[in-house]
Amino acid sequence: LEGMLTPWLNRAARQQVITPITGDAGLSRVATVLRSRAGAAAMFGNLINAMQQISGFALASIKVKPKLMLAAAADFASNQRKFNRAVAEASPYMSNRMDNEIAAMSDQINEILLNPSILARAQDWTMRHAYFLQSAMDNTMSPIIWTAAYNQAVEGGHNHRDSVRLADSAVRETQGSTLAEDISRIETGNAWVRLFTQFIGYFNMQANLLGTEFVKVTRGEYGLRGGAARGLYVFMLGFMVPAVVSEAIVQAFRGGPEDDDDDGEYLDDWLASLFFYAPMRNATAMVPFVGQGINAVVNATNNKPYDDRLATSPAISMLESAARAPVSVYKAIANDGNSQKAVRDVGTLLSMTVGLPGNLAARPIGYAAGVADDKISPTGPVDAVRGLLTGVASADSKP
């Protein structure tokens, strides 16, 4: 009651996820701003992360029959606007998820009452649109999953009202939600604690989904043979497929994995990346704080010193990068340093201090600077475009 139910009721009633600190003299506001700017810097125009959301269809397959999702996808493709309007009219939850009307209303009120400066408006625009690619992907996937779940509930004999609720639940449990009543308690706390739990929501949702489904299997709801088959199905579609697909997307946008063993062959590196490191990282990400330590120990065994440190939080890591900006720029100018790193650090500095999407501009500019310094040699037009979009040089393009 005290550990779960009462805190959840308070969050739902107050629509607050941050626990205020009495008498902190406004310091919590600093942590909140750092967290929001770090999120915007990491996700603004992040094509890789947006494409990784495709793996959400595999998670949804645990709750919804794949054939129903295929049928819903066909309906979506035939008339997207009509399809989304029907979903929004049936479900207030999905209407708010797709349109985010509450946030838009708040912005209009602030515009009227505060009359912000040009910089403040630019910062507000950046914060509101930081996740535009992720929102666009979710507005494609979630209505399809919702419709399939609704049709499945209707086929199961539920009335319209209960079918809507079950469909809402399927979207929340497989695609995640940031609403105060939907997040878990570990994602709450004071502003300083929340610096260290940023971006754990998806993996926490995945862990809860898998845990619930495996409990159903162990309780014998499917029988011995059916339970084994169901367990394998949940493991493959709920864990392995999302991990492998997400890693494959990352590696594709990065131009393939590095040749870590320097044997001139990349197939073994592809296989290790997809079927060993990706599942391991996915599993450890489901354990907040502890997972970071495990990853640091494993990374210490490779030949990449830059990934050996124990990451603290995205905001703190970006602050470190921003603090290095003056030194990086000096080295790039005076000591033939890494110009791409200098551009990246300056972009992070701009994102964290001014609140504008500096990291987005740093990706193509930093890549172009590396090409100009002959430290990156694109293997062709496709590799060059890929590098400009991601800011990452492929293994074959490095001298």
Side-chain angles (χ1 to χ4, degrees):
L1 180 64
E2 295 181 359
M4 183 180 68
L5 185 57
T6 300
W8 175 79
L9 288 172
N10 285 330
R11 290 199 305 274
R14 298 174 181 174
Q15 288 297 292
Q16 291 181 344
V17 297
I18 301 176
T19 304
I21 301 178
T22 305
D24 71 338
L27 291 177
S28 294
R29 175 63 181 166
V30 175
T32 300
V33 171
L34 289 176
R35 190 180 192 273
S36 63
R37 290 184 178 178
M43 295 300 171
F44 200 108
N46 191 329
L47 185 60
I48 297 177
N49 180 263
M51 293 300 297
Q52 285 179 306
Q53 290 180 235
I54 294 175
S55 63
F57 279 123
L59 283 174
S61 297
I62 295 178
K63 306 286 287 188
V64 185
K65 296 177 181 178
K67 66 177 183 179
L68 293 178
M69 284 195 286
L70 288 174
D75 292 339
F76 176 88
S78 64
N79 193 328
Q80 178 179 349
R81 181 170 298 181
K82 181 180 178 181
F83 187 93
N84 284 353
R85 184 167 60 248
V87 172
E89 290 175 353
S91 168
Y93 167 77
M94 289 298 295
S95 177
N96 286 329
R97 185 182 180 100
M98 292 188 287
D99 297 334
N100 204 14
E101 295 173 354
I102 296 176
M105 184 184 301
S106 176
D107 293 336
Q108 292 173 2
I109 293 173
N110 289 335
E111 182 74 22
I112 295 171
L113 298 180
L114 303 180
N115 190 23
S117 64
I118 294 176
L119 175 60
R121 287 197 294 269
Q123 292 172 335
D124 179 66
W125 182 90
T126 300
M127 290 300 111
R128 283 189 288 113
H129 295 86
Y131 296 82
F132 72 96
L133 285 179
Q134 289 79 6
S135 295
M137 184 65 73
D138 185 72
N139 283 352
T140 299
M141 296 175 56
S142 292
I144 293 173
I145 296 169
W146 187 94
T147 300
Y150 175 86
N151 291 337
Q152 179 173 281
V154 171
E155 289 181 1
H158 295 280
N159 60 36
H160 170 74
R161 187 178 182 182
D162 287 342
S163 297
V164 168
R165 290 173 172 173
L166 288 169
D168 290 347
S169 176
V171 172
R172 279 197 302 267
E173 292 180 23
T174 65
Q175 307 306 301
S177 173
T178 58
L179 296 180
E181 60 268 30
D182 292 338
I183 66 173
S184 63
R185 191 180 182 187
I186 195 172
E187 297 177 69
T188 66
N190 65 62
W192 295 100
V193 170
R194 279 170 51 80
L195 280 178
F196 299 89
T197 58
Q198 192 169 13
F199 299 142
I200 71 169
Y202 171 83
F203 298 103
N204 188 66
M205 171 211 71
Q206 186 183 19
N208 284 328
L209 176 65
L210 293 176
T212 300
E213 294 302 318
F214 282 127
V215 165
K216 292 179 181 178
V217 171
T218 57
R219 285 179 178 175
E221 294 185 18
Y222 299 92
L224 182 60
R225 180 176 299 179
R230 176 64 181 177
L232 180 61
Y233 179 86
V234 170
F235 173 76
M236 293 302 298
L237 288 178
F239 180 75
M240 283 299 296
V241 171
V244 171
V245 169
S246 296
E247 182 67 15
I249 291 172
V250 170
Q251 295 298 346
F253 275 95
R254 289 181 175 177
E258 300 280 351
D259 185 14
D260 289 333
D261 49 11
D262 297 321
D263 62 353
E265 298 291 337
Y266 289 93
L267 179 59
D268 57 334
D269 299 291
W270 270 104
L271 294 175
S273 177
L274 294 178
F275 298 105
F276 177 71
Y277 291 111
M280 182 198 69
R281 283 193 294 268
N282 197 81
T284 55
M286 295 182 190
V287 188
F289 309 115
V290 176
Q292 296 174 345
I294 295 174
N295 279 334
V297 172
V298 174
N299 290 338
T301 63
N302 62 31
N303 58 1
K304 301 175 183 178
Y306 58 80
D307 65 2
D308 292 348
R309 64 186 300 275
L310 181 60
T312 49
S313 77
I316 292 176
S317 297
M318 289 187 183
L319 282 177
E320 293 174 352
S321 176
R324 291 195 302 264
V327 176
S328 299
V329 172
Y330 174 79
K331 289 182 178 180
I333 296 174
N335 298 328
D336 192 27
N338 190 326
S339 57
Q340 186 178 15
K341 182 178 182 299
V343 171
R344 186 165 56 245
D345 289 343
V346 170
T348 304
L349 176 64
L350 181 64
S351 296
M352 296 301 290
T353 56
V354 184
L356 299 179
N359 281 41
L360 177 64
R363 292 168 198 158
I365 295 175
Y367 185 82
V371 173
D373 289 346
D374 295 326
K375 294 184 178 180
I376 301 175
S377 299
T379 58
V382 174
D383 188 46
V385 172
R386 181 209 54 76
L388 289 171
L389 288 174
T390 63
V392 179
S394 62
D396 292 337
S397 68
K398 298 176 182 179

